[in-house]
């Protein structure tokens, strides 16, 4: 967020969604997180982590030519009428003695099992081979056992008939056909998914270098908030945002080091932000206390910092936003209505984390039909909670930012760009799959 220092704003400034994502990315990259070293972790601890450097293959995958099927490994030339043998060898192997001219007779060689190195394949023979087992040297094709006559594995020395004209390379997986030795497997910045972990293990690696987890403190505010399990007064509500943000940030690969609530008291907030009672976060994510009201504790305290700003982002819900830096700790300030908090974290913080290399990729965006009539907003992006049925996006509840229960079933967000007038049901819209 270079260049924003000292612009404290009073809600009159506004910026677009993409611009604010870039601003959040900027404060994350300026936090102490960017100075922390990469770390090497065991594969069992690597799921969901961000790869720190390009991963290249120390060995080819597959390591050797292997069989794609349970079948007979053969020399393809042995199954052609012109053969790879002289006439006497063909007669000895029975190629010209088969009752069916579409079949070729071969002598059965020793079976090749997975995990065992097979003997070279002699001309005129077929070796039973199992899926994943090495192809014997000399063989260059596999005939599935169900195509053989009889369609079963025979003992060594027996005669098996296979269809003639087998092409070289049939059902053979060549060494290095997945990745060659030294080839690029995974790029830096990639989130390590289960299949990525499997690929790393297949390369024989036990450890992998990853970027440090972003350490996050969660801060909620307000006299009106009590914790779940406590009895609220007639004018109080339970704290949904702390649990919501904690679950969301853990899901995004962050390590939550503190979850704290402060009442609308400036000194209590200042004490918390300077506390050493917990591991210092790289980023505080706050909820509430940043709007235009008389008791906006986060805004009051952080506006005194030389590098802070409070403004409106041109989106609904989630318009009020704030950013600050306090001695190497970034503060990302989100609005306090629960749906606004969640949408802000999903639509603004998540892509900023991805862009900074501190979290998983942003939600996948597709174009799909909306199931209900929707209404655009002039000058603001409208983000609507939705349920995706695989074909259309169904709006959940209304547009208000307090409707948390109706948003609980959402697995998608509909994003309507600024504009005027309705969007009729059946029209294509942007849908972000969560």
């Amino acid at each position: 967020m270079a260049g924003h220092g000292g612009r404290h704003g009073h809600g009159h400034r506004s910026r677009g969604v993409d611009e604010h994502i870039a601003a959040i990315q900027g404060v994350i990259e300026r936090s102490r997180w960017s100075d922390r070293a990469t770390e090497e972790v065991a594969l069992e601890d690597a799921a969901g982590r961000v790869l720190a450097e390009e991963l290249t293959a120390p060995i080819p995958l597959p390591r050797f030519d292997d069989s794609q099927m349970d079948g007979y490994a053969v020399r393809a030339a042995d199954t052609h009428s012109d053969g790879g043998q002289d006439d006497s060898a063909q007669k000895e192997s029975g190629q010209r003695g088969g009752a069916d001219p579409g079949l070729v007779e071969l002598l059965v060689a020793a079976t090749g099992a997975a995990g065992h190195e097979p003997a070279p394949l002699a001309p005129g023979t077929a070796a039973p081979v199992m899926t994943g087992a090495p192809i014997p040297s000399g063989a260059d094709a596999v005939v599935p056992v169900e195509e053989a006559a009889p369609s079963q594995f025979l003992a060594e020395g027996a005669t098996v008939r296979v269809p003639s004209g087998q092409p070289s390379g049939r059902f053979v997986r060549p060494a290095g056909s997945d990745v060659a030795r030294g080839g690029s497997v995974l790029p830096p910045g990639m989130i390590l998914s289960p299949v990525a972990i499997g690929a790393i293990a297949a390369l024989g690696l036990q450890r992998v270098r990853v970027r440090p987890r972003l350490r996050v403190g969660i801060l909620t505010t307000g006299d009106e908030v009590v914790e779940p399990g406590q009895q609220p007064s007639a004018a109080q509500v339970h704290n949904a945002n702390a649990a919501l943000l904690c679950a969301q940030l853990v899901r995004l690969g962050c390590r939550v080091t503190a979850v704290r609530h402060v009442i609308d008291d400036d000194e209590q907030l200042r004490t918390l932000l300077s506390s050493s009672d917990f591991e210092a976060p790289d980023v505080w994510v706050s909820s509430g206390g940043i709007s235009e009201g008389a008791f906006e504790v986060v805004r009051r305290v952080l506006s005194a910092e030389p590098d802070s700003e409070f403004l409106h982002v041109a989106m609904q819900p989630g318009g009020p936003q704030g950013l600050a830096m306090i001695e190497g700790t970034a503060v990302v300030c989100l609005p306090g209505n629960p749906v606004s908090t969640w949408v802000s974290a999903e639509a603004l913080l998540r892509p900023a984390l991805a862009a900074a290399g501190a979290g998983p990729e942003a939600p996948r965006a597709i174009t799909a039909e909306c199931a209900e009539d929707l209404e655009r907003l002039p000058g603001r992006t409208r983000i609507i909670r939705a349920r995706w049925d695989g074909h259309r996006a169904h709006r959940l509840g209304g547009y208000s930012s307090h409707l948390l229960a109706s948003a609980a079933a959402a697995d998608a967000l509909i994003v309507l760009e600024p504009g005027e007038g309705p969007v009729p049901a059946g029209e294509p819209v942007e849908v972000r799959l969560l």
Side-chain angles (χ1 to χ4, degrees):
M1 204 180 67
H4 291 154
R7 299 193 304 190
H8 307 317
H10 296 286
H12 302 302
R13 291 191 61 242
S14 180
R15 70 161 52 121
V17 171
D18 290 343
E19 186 184 359
H20 195 63
I21 291 171
I24 297 174
Q25 176 189 350
V27 296
I28 292 171
E29 290 175 342
R30 291 171 53 210
S31 75
R32 61 172 62 89
W33 169 79
S34 62
D35 296 328
R36 300 219 321 271
T38 61
E39 53 187 331
E40 197 174 73
V41 298
L43 279 191
E44 57 265 30
D45 299 321
R49 300 296 297 269
V50 180
L51 190 63
E53 57 192 15
E54 181 184 27
L55 186 75
T56 58
I59 58 173
L61 289 181
R63 287 186 57 231
F64 42 76
D65 294 351
D66 71 35
S67 177
Q68 190 176 342
M69 305 287 281
D70 293 332
Y72 285 93
V74 301
R75 294 172 178 262
D78 286 348
T79 70
H80 292 262
S81 58
D82 56 356
Q85 313 169 55
D86 61 27
D87 195 61
S88 61
Q90 289 178 350
K91 288 180 180 178
E92 184 178 344
S93 70
Q95 280 189 308
R96 293 186 175 177
D100 187 335
L103 297 176
V104 174
E105 291 184 353
L106 300 171
L107 293 177
V108 177
T111 298
H116 298 271
E117 186 174 355
L121 188 71
T125 64
V129 65
M130 308 305 140
T131 302
I135 300 293
S137 63
D140 60 355
V142 174
V143 180
V145 66
E146 58 267 25
E147 295 180 7
S151 56
Q152 63 190 63
F153 289 116
L154 301 178
E156 185 176 358
T159 298
V160 67
R161 292 181 295 161
V162 301
S164 62
Q166 295 292 319
S168 177
R170 187 185 186 209
F171 295 126
V172 174
R173 298 185 290 211
S177 56
D178 186 6
V179 63
R181 184 194 302 270
S184 178
V185 181
L186 300 172
M190 180 178 180
I191 297 295
L192 294 176
S193 66
V195 70
I197 297 293
I200 296 169
L203 293 168
L205 301 175
Q206 296 177 295
R207 303 180 69 79
V208 64
R209 185 159 293 281
V210 297
R211 294 175 182 169
R213 284 192 189 276
L214 189 72
R215 297 179 298 203
V216 176
I218 294 170
L219 168 64
T220 58
T221 64
D223 290 353
E224 75 279 14
V225 175
V226 298
E227 296 307 309
Q230 296 181 350
Q231 182 62 42
S233 72
Q236 290 181 311
V237 297
H238 287 116
N239 188 351
N241 290 350
L244 184 159
L245 283 172
C246 186
Q248 192 167 21
L249 289 164
V250 168
R251 185 181 179 188
L252 294 180
C254 301
R255 183 158 64 88
V256 176
T257 62
V259 180
R260 297 292 187 273
H261 179 81
V262 297
I263 60 173
D264 295 321
D265 180 272
D266 294 11
E267 195 54 41
Q268 186 179 114
L269 178 55
R270 291 189 188 97
T271 299
L272 174 66
L273 293 175
S274 61
S275 174
S276 58
D277 292 341
F278 43 82
E279 185 179 0
D282 305 312
V283 178
W284 280 105
V285 178
S286 72
S287 172
I290 62 172
S291 295
E292 305 291 334
F295 304 101
E296 308 299 328
V297 61
V298 173
R299 184 176 184 138
R300 284 199 311 264
V301 170
L302 294 185
S303 288
E305 296 297 322
D307 197 3
S308 67
E309 62 175 353
F310 293 89
L311 71 162
H312 274 78
V313 173
M315 60 184 271
Q316 190 276 331
Q321 300 286 331
L323 294 171
M325 289 291 297
I326 307 174
E327 297 180 357
T329 300
V331 187
V332 178
C333 309
L334 310 180
N337 275 318
V339 172
S340 295
T341 299
W342 172 61
V343 169
S344 296
E346 192 64 48
L348 300 174
L349 182 55
R350 178 174 175 177
L353 289 171
E361 63 186 13
R364 183 165 67 96
I366 63 172
T367 299
E369 293 181 0
C370 56
E372 296 84 19
D373 293 345
L374 304 173
E375 192 72 27
R376 294 186 184 90
L377 283 174
R380 286 187 292 170
T381 298
R382 172 164 261 171
I383 301 178
I384 303 162
R385 294 80 79 188
R387 187 75 182 172
W388 168 245
D389 68 4
H391 303 284
R392 299 193 299 172
H394 300 259
R395 186 184 70 199
L396 293 176
Y399 297 119
S400 295
S401 56
H402 71 288
L403 300 174
L404 183 60
S406 62
D411 60 6
L413 295 173
I414 299 171
V415 180
L416 296 184
E417 292 301 320
E420 296 187 2
V423 178
E427 286 291 305
V429 294
E430 179 184 337
V431 179
R432 295 182 187 175
L433 305 178
L434 306 182

